[in-house]
């Protein structure tokens, strides 16, 4: 709430005088009240001290005189409470004194754990006891307190248990029998020597006396207020006649001289203040007019030539500024030619603008999309924005103050690209209000530059998209002219150009059989002659094969014909065809092997039977040895025939499913014993859960057994190591099983024949060459694959499709 300011001298004077009188009266009234209260406190303090002294005198008499005499008179140390207890006698004396009509008072002698529950200390008295216990040197307490809504003066002294008190307040065994019979043995005991456990207090009522003091003080204040009002009336009349009337006459005289148009503000100010302020204002304005007139005369008389020179210098400075502005616009155009992105343009333009206008800092805030900003001279420093920033941006306004300016950056279609926030030096002589037009022009120029750069960036982006499309084609792609010169080649094509002589698109043409020499016959000239696409196949020295396609393309810019060369690698297709031929070969060999096994197995059985008969009837050692040789080689031939039958026998079409983890663990348990016998290790790396695969348990056991047998034969003794790993590929929905050993591996020159029937690297009599061929056939029939490579030993990688039930569950 705004307090009204006094506007008249008389009102100010009277209010000040009233304030002085009021403050003086209040100070005097407070002093009187506290003085009377201190007198009352001294009086009641002396009365209470006198009462406490009387009580202490009675206690001293009973303790030192009456009690010893009673012990002499009474037989057997008897104790009379009414004549020997100091507490009992003092309470009785003070009660009789109160009943006799003396000064009203309330005497209390209380303690904690008092023998008589009537004299147990209350909460206020316990606070006094605690105060004396906390400060043993404190011997007296006095002060005013409000008890039950009434005011009292309280004076208290501590009760200290001395040696004469310990007989009745120490332990029950030492206390007189009369005390025990009257009060029992539980209360009033347990005090220690010189301990403070009680308090003696006297309470005197002072409520009526304090009321009289307040009434006397209020009466004095009322009387002083009446006297002040009478004095104010007399002073008001005298001050108005002597001071105020004459001050107003002087103000009217000064006001009558301010009659021109330039002095209307002075006339408006007169009368708003008090009389003295009006006189001071009139005198100041009069002195100002005189001083101004004098300075003008001196300036025109003495400094006329200097004024002409200054004006000439100002015009020259202004012309220089305009030249600087032109140079700024030219530099902004050059920045567009040198920039590739909006950031490059802004980073280059902001320093030029900042130095031109001698700015403290400069910020460009982009208002399109994300509100990014660029600052100068410090980068990435958040700008200071005015409170009405949202309104400035919403209305596209130009906002300029004494130390900052916010200029919209507009494009050619008047859309706002952003805002330039200019912050001037505190001591800058540049007036931002005078350069509104030039700043607006700078914003427009920068906006057009940003628009042009955006259009250029869009063009480059489209070019980059086209380039990414071409580069995204995984197969080699080239654009060539009719002279076999490469116009465009993607990364896949350039990668093919790498050879011993270097890397380049010309090498690609050479490898594709396209001549780079004019006049030479090549597939491109054949395509131009026929006028239709041409397709042919080219095989590289490294075994890779490509299907080449050449398509004619008309050039819209000229009459020349260009060609697109597209190459698709078909190496994998050829390998697949070779694999099919291998399968057909295996089928043919299997049929032949089945026939041979059937025709040879019967004679071998007859030979073995007769050899056994001969061994049972022969008694000579040499004959027995010869017969053993016959039987051994017969059984070896039978094993070979059995392998032939296993290879050639039609396989069961069952594809499971089976649990690969269980089969792997079962086979691992069997072959780990053989590995330990060779002082080698067999490690299984199988996850907790593997899905079912499309393979029968018997086929998977046979596959793993053949591979582990070959691995055990290949690894070195004592240091051999075989690892079997399984994992689930959820993307391809397959289970991969890998067997790896640290043997010598498989030589590269025979790696393509290891799955052929009867091919083996083992010594004669140790292998038939059908194990891996059987493995290959089983895996192929189940829709899986098997590959082999070397990495510190032979590594076989098998993939099996997940069973259909598992696929549906997924």
């Amino acid at each position: 709430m705004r307090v009204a300011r006094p506007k008249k001298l008389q009102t100010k004077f009277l209010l000040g005088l009233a304030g002085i009188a009021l403050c003086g009266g209040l100070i005097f009234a407070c002093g009187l009240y506290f003085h009377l209260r201190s007198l009352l406190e001294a009086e009641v303090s002396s009365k209470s001290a006198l009462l406490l002294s009387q009580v202490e005198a009675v206690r001293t008499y009973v303790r030192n005189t009456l009690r010893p005499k009673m012990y002499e008179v009474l037989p057997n140390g008897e104790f009379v409470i009414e004549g020997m207890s100091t507490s009992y006698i003092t309470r009785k004396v003070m009660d009789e004194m109160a009943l006799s009509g003396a000064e009203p008072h309330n005497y209390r002698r209380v303690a904690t754990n008092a023998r008589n529950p009537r004299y147990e200390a209350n909460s206020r008295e316990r606070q006094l006891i605690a105060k004396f216990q906390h400060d043993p040197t404190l011997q007296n307490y006095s002060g005013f307190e409000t008890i039950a809504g009434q005011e009292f003066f309280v004076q208290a002294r501590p009760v200290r248990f001395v040696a004469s008190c310990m007989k009745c307040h120490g332990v029950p065994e030492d206390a007189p029998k009369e005390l025990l019979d009257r009060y029992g043995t539980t209360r009033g005991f347990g005090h220690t020597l010189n301990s403070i456990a009680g308090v003696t207090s006297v309470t005197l009522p002072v409520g009526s006396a304090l009321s009289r003091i307040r009434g006397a003080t209020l009466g004095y204040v009322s009387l002083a207020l009446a006297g002040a009002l009478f004095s104010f009336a007399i002073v008001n009349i005298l001050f108005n006649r002597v001071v105020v009337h004459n001050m107003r006459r002087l103000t009217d005289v000064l006001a009558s001289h301010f009659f021109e148009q330039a002095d209307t503000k002075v006339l408006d100010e007169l009368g708003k203040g008090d009389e003295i302020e009006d006189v001071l204002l009139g005198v100041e304005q009069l002195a100002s007019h005189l001083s101004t007139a004098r300075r003008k005369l001196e300036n025109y008389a003495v400094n006329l030539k200097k004024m002409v020179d200054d004006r000439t210098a100002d015009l020259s400075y202004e012309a220089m500024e305009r030249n600087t502005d032109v140079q700024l616009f030219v530099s902004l155009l050059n920045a567009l030619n040198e920039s590739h992105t909006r950031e490059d343009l802004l980073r280059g333009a902001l320093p030029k603008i900042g130095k031109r206008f001698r700015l403290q800092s400069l910020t460009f805030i982009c208002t399109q999309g994300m509100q990014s900003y660029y600052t100068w001279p410090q980068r990435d420093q958040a700008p200071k924005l005015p409170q009405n920033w949202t309104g400035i941006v919403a209305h596209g306004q130009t906002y300029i103050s004494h130390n900052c300016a916010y200029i919209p950056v507009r494009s050619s279609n008047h859309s706002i690209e952003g805002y330039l926030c200019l912050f001037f030096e505190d001591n800058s002589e540049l007036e931002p209000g005078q350069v509104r037009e030039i700043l607006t022009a700078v914003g427009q120029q920068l906006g057009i530059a940003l628009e042009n750069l955006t259009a250029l960036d869009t063009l480059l982006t489209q070019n980059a998209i086209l380039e990414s499309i071409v580069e995204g084609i995984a197969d080699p792609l080239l654009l060539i002219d009719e002279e076999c010169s490469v116009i465009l080649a993607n990364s896949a094509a350039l990668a093919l150009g790498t050879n011993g002589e270097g890397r380049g698109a010309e090498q690609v043409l050479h490898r594709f059989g396209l001549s780079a020499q004019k006049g030479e016959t090549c597939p491109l000239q054949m395509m131009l002659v026929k006028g239709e696409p041409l397709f042919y196949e080219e095989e590289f020295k490294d075994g890779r094969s490509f299907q080449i396609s050449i398509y004619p393309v008309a050039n819209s810019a000229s009459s020349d014909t260009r060609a697109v060369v597209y190459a698709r690698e078909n190496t994998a297709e050829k390998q697949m065809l070779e694999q099919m031929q291998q399968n057909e070969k295996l089928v043919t060999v299997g049929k032949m092997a089945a026939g041979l096994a059937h025709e040879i197995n019967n004679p071998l059985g007859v030979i073995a039977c007769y050899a056994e008969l001969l061994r049972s009837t022969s008694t000579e050692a040499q004959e027995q040895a010869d017969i053993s040789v016959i039987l051994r080689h017969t059984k070896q031939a039978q094993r070979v025939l059995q392998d032939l039958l296993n290879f050639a026998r039609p396989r069961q079409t069952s594809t499971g499913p089976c649990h690969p983890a269980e089969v792997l663990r079962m086979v691992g348990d069997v072959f780990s014993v053989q590995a330990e016998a060779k002082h080698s290790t067999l490690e299984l790396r199988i996850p907790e859960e593997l899905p079912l695969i499309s393979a029968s348990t018997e086929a998977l056991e046979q596959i793993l057994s053949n591979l582990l047998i070959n691995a055990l034969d290949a690894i070195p003794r004592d240091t051999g190591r075989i690892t079997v790993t399984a994992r689930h590929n959820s993307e391809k929905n397959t289970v991969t099983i890998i067997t790896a050993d640290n043997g010598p591996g498989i030589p590269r020159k025979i790696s393509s024949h290891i799955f052929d029937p009867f091919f083996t690297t083992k010594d004669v009599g140790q292998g038939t060459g059908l194990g891996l061929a059987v493995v290959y056939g089983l895996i192929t029939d189940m829709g899986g694959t098997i590959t082999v490579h070397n990495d510190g030993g032979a590594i076989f990688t098998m993939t099996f499709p997940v069973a259909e039930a598992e696929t549906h569950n997924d």
Side-chain angles (χ1 to χ4, degrees):
M1 180 178 178
R2 184 177 178 182
V3 180
R5 175 177 174 268
K7 298 182 179 179
K8 301 299 179 181
L9 182 61
Q10 182 179 353
T11 304
K12 290 183 178 181
F13 177 78
L14 292 179
L15 289 178
L17 186 62
I20 294 173
L22 180 60
C23 293
L26 289 176
I27 293 173
F28 187 82
C30 292
L32 178 63
Y33 173 81
F34 287 111
H35 175 67
L36 294 177
R37 185 183 177 93
S38 64
L39 292 178
L40 175 62
E41 183 178 0
E43 181 180 355
V44 296
S45 177
S46 62
K47 288 181 180 180
S48 60
L50 179 60
L51 290 175
L52 290 176
S53 298
Q54 291 175 356
V55 170
E56 190 61 33
V58 173
R59 291 174 56 82
T60 302
Y61 172 76
V62 173
R63 187 186 301 114
N64 297 334
T65 303
L66 185 58
R67 186 187 296 169
K69 192 64 179 177
M70 293 291 286
Y71 277 127
E72 293 177 3
V73 174
L74 295 176
N76 299 323
E78 294 182 2
F79 188 83
V80 180
I81 297 175
E82 290 79 0
M84 301 176 69
S85 175
T86 57
S87 300
Y88 184 91
I89 294 173
T90 53
R91 290 192 183 99
K92 285 296 183 180
V93 172
M94 296 305 293
D95 291 343
E96 292 295 330
M97 185 176 178
L99 294 174
S100 64
E103 182 74 17
H105 67 276
N106 182 17
Y107 171 78
R108 291 272 293 172
R109 180 178 177 83
V110 296
T112 57
N113 192 23
R115 181 172 288 114
N116 190 341
R118 292 175 54 192
Y119 304 113
E120 180 70 24
N122 55 31
S123 59
R124 183 179 60 81
E125 292 166 339
R126 287 180 181 275
Q127 293 178 0
L128 290 175
I129 294 173
K131 185 186 294 291
F132 288 122
Q133 289 175 345
H134 181 71
D135 186 6
T137 61
L138 183 63
Q139 299 298 325
N140 185 60
Y141 167 79
S142 61
F144 291 98
E145 294 186 7
T146 301
I147 303 174
Q150 298 183 2
E151 296 182 66
F152 295 88
F153 181 82
V154 179
Q155 186 164 12
R157 293 178 181 176
V159 174
R160 192 182 302 273
F161 289 88
V162 296
S164 60
C165 301
M166 298 309 297
K167 182 175 183 180
C168 298
H169 296 281
V171 295
E173 290 77 9
D174 297 337
K177 182 176 180 301
E178 289 77 7
L179 287 176
L180 299 177
D181 293 339
R182 177 176 292 191
Y183 299 109
T185 61
T186 58
R187 297 182 63 87
F189 297 102
H191 296 289
T192 59
L193 185 63
N194 293 324
S195 65
I196 298 175
V199 67
T200 301
S201 64
V202 175
T203 305
L204 300 177
V206 294
S208 59
L210 289 175
S211 298
R212 290 193 297 272
I213 292 175
R214 296 190 188 99
T217 304
L218 184 59
Y220 169 77
V221 172
S222 300
L223 182 61
L225 181 59
L229 291 176
F230 178 78
S231 300
F232 289 164
I234 301 299
V235 170
N236 184 28
I237 296 172
L238 292 176
F239 191 84
N240 187 36
R241 287 297 298 174
V242 176
V243 178
V244 175
H245 181 69
N246 293 325
M247 294 293 292
R248 287 178 179 174
R249 288 180 60 193
L250 180 58
T251 303
D252 294 338
V253 172
L254 292 173
S256 62
H257 290 82
F258 297 102
F259 55 86
E260 296 181 357
Q261 184 67 24
D263 302 322
T264 55
K265 293 184 179 180
V266 179
L267 293 175
D268 293 335
E269 293 295 326
L270 290 177
K272 291 185 178 181
D274 56 29
E275 289 78 2
I276 293 180
E277 291 178 350
D278 290 342
V279 172
L280 290 175
L281 180 60
V283 173
E284 288 176 356
Q285 291 298 325
L286 180 60
S288 177
H289 277 278
L290 294 175
S291 177
T292 302
R294 181 177 179 180
R295 285 198 303 271
K296 287 181 179 180
L297 290 174
E298 291 177 352
N299 289 336
Y300 279 103
V302 178
N303 299 324
L304 184 58
K305 185 178 182 301
K306 182 177 182 300
M307 293 173 62
V308 174
D309 295 338
D310 292 342
R311 181 56 181 166
T312 303
D314 292 340
L315 293 175
S316 300
Y317 178 76
E318 185 176 353
M320 183 181 64
E321 292 290 319
R322 298 292 78 80
N323 185 32
T324 306
D325 295 335
V326 173
Q327 294 178 0
L328 174 62
F329 288 123
V330 173
S331 63
L332 291 179
L333 291 176
N334 291 333
L336 175 61
N337 298 329
E338 298 172 357
S339 303
H340 299 285
T341 63
R342 292 170 61 95
E343 182 177 0
D344 294 340
L345 176 61
L346 292 171
R347 295 294 186 193
L350 292 184
K352 296 179 176 64
I353 299 174
K355 294 177 181 178
R356 160 60 187 92
F357 296 104
R358 298 180 292 277
L359 301 177
Q360 183 181 11
S361 62
L362 175 62
T363 302
F364 174 80
I365 301 178
C366 181
T367 57
Q368 297 181 358
M370 297 297 293
Q371 288 193 353
S372 59
Y373 55 86
Y374 303 92
T375 58
W376 173 88
Q378 296 183 354
R379 301 184 63 171
D380 302 330
Q381 184 178 9
K384 300 177 182 177
L385 302 179
Q387 295 181 352
N388 58 340
W389 169 250
T390 304
I392 294 174
V393 175
H395 297 87
Q397 300 174 351
T398 298
Y399 176 80
I400 298 179
S401 65
H402 69 285
N403 61 349
C404 61
Y406 301 92
I407 308 300
V409 177
R410 301 179 185 274
S411 60
S412 59
N413 58 358
H414 301 288
S415 62
I416 297 179
E417 298 282 340
Y419 261 81
L420 280 177
C421 304
L422 298 86
F423 300 94
F424 300 94
E425 298 283 354
D426 294 337
N427 57 353
S428 176
E429 298 180 356
L430 183 64
E431 293 293 337
Q434 298 177 358
V435 292
R436 177 184 296 269
E437 295 182 358
I438 187 63
L439 290 178
T440 303
V442 170
Q444 293 177 350
Q445 182 70 21
L446 186 59
I448 294 173
L450 289 174
E451 182 183 15
N452 294 335
L453 190 61
T454 301
L456 179 61
D457 183 66
T458 302
L459 182 61
L460 294 176
T461 301
Q462 296 296 330
N463 185 41
I465 293 174
L466 293 176
E467 183 178 355
S468 63
I469 293 174
V470 174
E471 290 295 329
I473 299 175
D475 296 325
L477 184 68
L478 300 97
L479 177 64
I480 60 178
D481 58 15
E482 58 185 2
E483 301 296 334
C484 286
S485 298
V486 178
I487 300 174
L488 178 65
N490 64 355
S491 299
L494 294 176
L496 288 177
T498 304
N499 58 12
E501 300 177 358
R503 173 179 178 179
E506 302 299 332
Q507 295 296 330
V508 180
L509 295 178
H510 178 73
R511 301 188 73 178
F512 286 165
L514 298 176
S515 175
Q517 299 296 328
K518 185 176 180 180
E520 294 184 2
T521 302
C522 70
L524 177 60
Q525 274 71 31
M526 296 172 59
M527 184 272 298
L528 294 176
V529 171
K530 294 181 179 181
E532 58 185 18
L534 180 65
F535 307 96
Y536 66 96
E537 185 173 310
E538 190 75 24
E539 186 173 352
F540 294 170
K541 295 179 181 180
D542 57 2
R544 298 177 66 183
S545 176
F546 287 85
Q547 182 68 38
I548 311 299
S549 302
I550 304 177
Y551 301 93
V553 178
N555 186 7
S556 59
S558 63
S559 59
D560 298 337
T561 301
R562 295 179 180 179
V564 174
V565 179
Y566 172 70
R568 184 178 64 85
E569 186 173 2
N570 57 357
T571 306
E573 297 176 2
K574 286 189 173 183
Q575 291 176 352
M576 184 177 297
L577 180 61
E578 292 175 358
Q579 186 176 2
M580 294 175 61
Q581 294 173 352
Q582 175 72 13
N583 291 337
E584 293 178 358
K585 184 193 302 183
L586 291 177
V587 171
T588 302
V589 173
K591 292 179 179 180
M592 182 186 68
L596 289 175
H598 179 73
E599 296 296 331
I600 298 175
N601 194 35
N602 291 332
L604 288 177
V606 174
I607 294 173
C609 179
Y610 278 93
E612 290 288 346
L613 291 175
L614 290 174
R615 188 168 61 178
S616 62
T617 58
S618 176
T619 57
E620 295 183 5
Q622 183 61 40
E623 292 179 354
Q624 290 287 337
D626 294 338
I627 293 172
S628 296
V629 171
I630 295 172
L631 287 173
R632 184 171 65 253
H633 286 279
T634 302
K635 290 180 180 181
Q636 181 177 353
Q638 287 178 336
R639 284 198 301 270
V640 172
L641 290 175
Q642 186 63 40
D643 289 339
L644 283 173
L645 287 174
N646 291 336
F647 174 75
R649 184 183 297 120
R651 302 181 182 90
Q652 298 180 357
T653 58
S654 174
T655 57
C658 71
H659 292 280
E662 296 179 0
V663 176
L664 285 170
R665 293 189 181 95
M666 181 179 63
V667 174
D669 293 339
V670 173
F671 284 91
S672 61
V673 177
Q674 301 181 29
E676 291 179 0
K678 201 172 181 179
H679 302 287
S680 302
T681 59
L682 173 60
E683 181 182 359
L684 299 180
R685 298 175 182 175
I686 307 172
E688 293 294 332
E689 295 184 1
L690 282 176
L692 298 176
I693 62 175
S694 298
S696 64
T697 302
E698 296 78 8
L700 185 59
E701 289 179 2
Q702 185 177 359
I703 292 170
L704 294 174
S705 298
N706 285 330
L707 293 177
L708 292 178
I709 290 173
N710 290 341
L712 287 172
D713 292 340
I715 60 177
R717 187 177 182 84
D718 298 331
T719 60
R721 183 179 70 256
I722 302 174
T723 304
V724 180
T725 306
R727 60 174 177 265
H728 176 216
N729 190 333
S730 58
E731 295 181 358
K732 298 183 178 180
N733 204 26
T734 59
V735 172
T736 302
I737 300 176
I738 302 172
T739 63
D741 59 62
N742 63 340
I746 299 175
R748 184 180 298 274
K749 62 182 179 179
I750 66 172
S751 60
S752 60
H753 302 288
I754 61 173
F755 296 114
D756 292 343
F758 309 110
F759 181 83
T760 180
T761 58
K762 297 180 181 179
D763 296 336
V764 177
Q766 295 184 359
T768 62
L770 293 174
L772 291 180
V774 172
V775 168
Y776 181 86
L778 290 173
I779 294 178
T780 303
D781 291 343
M782 290 183 291
T785 61
I786 181 170
T787 59
V788 61
H789 69 279
N790 293 329
D791 187 5
I795 299 177
F796 288 86
T797 303
M798 298 165 284
T799 60
F800 298 91
V802 174
E804 293 184 0
E806 289 289 325
T807 304
H808 296 328
N809 290 336
D810 293 342

